[in-house]
Amino acid sequence: MADAWGLSNFSQFSSDYRKLFGLCPSASLKARRAVAPVNRGSRTAPPLKKAWA
């Protein structure tokens, strides 16, 4: 699935993500899960709103 988004080098993605957002992807995910309401019908959190839209 990651290949569909052009993510073949995960360490480079993580490095670029950290430079852009100031924290690693896993920390962002943990923070998102900590504040997202629990959706009992699904195992995933609701989609994030785009900050640039």
Side-chain angles (χ1 to χ4, degrees):
M1 180 163 174
D3 288 336
W5 291 94
L7 301 174
S8 58
N9 185 338
F10 296 111
S11 62
Q12 184 63 50
F13 167 76
S14 181
S15 175
D16 292 343
Y17 188 97
R18 186 183 305 243
K19 288 177 187 174
L20 185 61
F21 297 108
L23 63 161
C24 62
S26 61
S28 294
L29 184 59
K30 287 178 187 176
R32 171 68 179 159
R33 287 180 176 164
V35 298
V38 175
N39 184 351
R40 301 283 181 206
S42 173
R43 295 184 69 179
T44 60
L48 294 172
K49 292 183 180 179
K50 294 179 182 174
W52 58 87

